[in-house]
Amino acid sequence: MTNTKPIHRVAIVGAGVIGASWSALYLAKGLEVIASDPAPNAEANLRKFVDAAWPALERLGLSPNASRTNLTFTANLAEAMAAADFVQENGPERVDFKQKLYGQLDALLPPDVIIASSSSGIPMSQIQPGAQAHPERCVIGHPFNPPHLIPLVEIVGGDKTSEETIRRADEFYSSIGRKTVRINKEMPGHVANRLQAALAREVYYLVAEGVVSAADVDTALSWGPGLRWGVMGNMMLNHLGGGSGGIEHAFAGLLGPMMGWWKTLGSPDMTPEVQRKLIDSVHAEVGSRAIEELAAERDEILIGLLQLRSKRPETSAPREVAAE
């Protein structure tokens, strides 16, 4: 039977940077949040993060009933699970840890409560054996950092994840304004991180080979293709690049040269010496600016872009969720 139970209360398991960012988002969307983390000072750090993120969320628009007072915290995992409608897990990226945790969550939760993992690269098929009773309700719901600002959520099922779980997770994330991507085949790193890894490999290669500095490669990305990527993705931009002939004309004219470039792409050997060269080049770009200053600059521009994009129509057709 299809489950249509509304989600009002989200349990956050693991209140580090990602868990805290999720918490801020869920609170801004008018949901109740109960967070659990055994780490010392976890509650104080969580509330500090939410307070710091709140002005940005106010600028982006709060949902009715949004309030930081809807946040509760407990170090007791069973207490956190007692009334959860949805679980967002953000534990350490270790298969053994997650399997043990999912065994605990599986025993504590009713079978219709989804357990979504923020895992950045571990396939759900490696995690869900821990949930022996109800592995079908376990799914990857991977955000892009920081989740309270970046709308992307990658949804990936494991071998035993049900289609209903995937549909319900998709509907939930979409209902709070997230842009979901359904990944049909498990891959280490999912999709967005694999795309980042592919680009990072060439960036590191170019800097290590002395072709360009860290500052100049960042300028080339952020003031060139990065500006376009903030509006449309690679495939749509390829279609535009073909002019009136679209993607067909782009392939006819550009694919040959691009395939030639592929043959010269690098695979840097990340030795300590190469890492030191990259690190020194980055610090030369950073100068005296603190991490907090750089993060504030990033977030300020992100907010402006998000506000602008919210006023424009979608650049791609909506994806249909598979019917039950």
Side-chain angles (χ1 to χ4, degrees):
M1 181 180 295
T2 300
N3 188 299
T4 58
K5 179 183 177 182
I7 294 173
H8 297 298
R9 194 181 209 207
V10 177
I12 298 291
V13 179
V17 173
I18 299 299
S21 186
W22 271 124
S23 298
L25 172 68
Y26 290 138
L27 292 167
K29 297 300 179 180
L31 299 170
E32 296 180 13
V33 172
I34 181 163
S36 182
D37 193 314
N41 301 318
E43 180 176 6
N45 291 334
L46 169 61
R47 293 188 182 279
K48 181 179 178 181
F49 185 101
V50 171
D51 287 343
W54 205 252
L57 291 164
E58 287 178 321
R59 290 173 58 186
L60 291 171
L62 299 178
S63 297
N65 301 319
S67 175
R68 284 170 285 181
T69 63
N70 288 331
L71 173 63
T72 56
F73 181 91
T74 176
N76 187 305
L77 187 64
E79 183 180 342
M81 298 303 107
D85 300 319
F86 186 93
V87 176
Q88 189 76 50
E89 174 269 316
N90 315 280
E93 288 286 286
R94 299 202 328 263
V95 174
D96 59 340
F97 180 93
K98 287 188 183 292
Q99 285 187 354
K100 181 179 179 180
L101 175 60
Y102 274 60
Q104 295 174 293
L105 297 175
D106 197 33
L108 291 169
L109 292 160
D112 61 343
V113 175
I114 290 174
I115 308 172
S117 177
S118 298
S119 174
S120 61
I122 301 175
M124 179 47 68
S125 292
Q126 294 181 19
I127 299 172
Q128 64 188 165
Q132 295 185 11
H134 295 286
E136 74 281 352
R137 45 93 163 267
C138 303
V139 67
I140 296 291
H142 173 242
F144 222 53
N145 194 30
H148 70 282
L149 294 182
I150 303 292
L152 177 66
V153 178
E154 297 177 310
I155 299 174
V156 201
D159 290 339
K160 297 181 179 180
T161 305
S162 70
E163 280 298 318
E164 181 184 355
T165 293
I166 291 171
R167 177 190 60 78
R168 288 174 57 207
D170 197 321
E171 290 178 352
F172 170 63
Y173 289 125
S174 297
S175 74
I176 58 170
R178 301 303 89 183
K179 300 299 181 183
T180 61
V181 172
R182 165 72 191 274
I183 299 176
N184 299 313
K185 181 179 179 180
E186 289 184 299
M187 298 287 284
H190 314 314
V191 168
N193 277 336
R194 290 178 69 89
L195 294 174
Q196 285 197 132
L199 181 59
R201 183 170 67 177
E202 184 62 13
V203 166
Y204 298 161
Y205 173 75
L206 292 172
V207 176
E209 290 296 308
V211 176
V212 71
S213 67
D216 282 344
V217 79
D218 281 350
T219 297
L221 283 173
S222 63
W223 289 98
L227 284 177
R228 298 192 302 196
W229 291 335
V231 180
M232 296 179 182
N234 186 79
M235 301 305 292
M236 186 71 80
L237 289 168
N238 284 173
H239 186 54
L240 289 179
S244 60
I247 187 70
E248 296 86 353
H249 184 66
F251 277 179
L254 300 176
L255 199 54
M258 185 181 297
M259 291 174 67
W261 302 337
W262 288 347
K263 296 177 182 179
T264 68
L265 294 178
S267 295
D269 183 4
M270 298 298 287
T271 64
E273 293 75 20
V274 168
Q275 292 183 48
R276 173 48 54 189
K277 185 172 184 178
L278 297 173
I279 289 168
D280 290 345
S281 193
V282 168
H283 281 295
E285 178 183 6
V286 170
S288 62
R289 294 174 294 174
I291 290 289
E292 294 77 11
E293 180 183 352
L294 293 168
E297 178 183 347
R298 176 202 63 191
D299 291 352
E300 180 67 21
I301 295 172
L302 272 176
I303 292 168
L305 179 58
L306 288 167
Q307 290 174 325
L308 179 62
R309 291 202 65 171
S310 69
K311 299 175 183 177
R312 305 297 300 171
E314 291 291 331
T315 58
S316 59
R319 173 175 49 82
E320 293 185 1
V321 178
E324 289 294 304

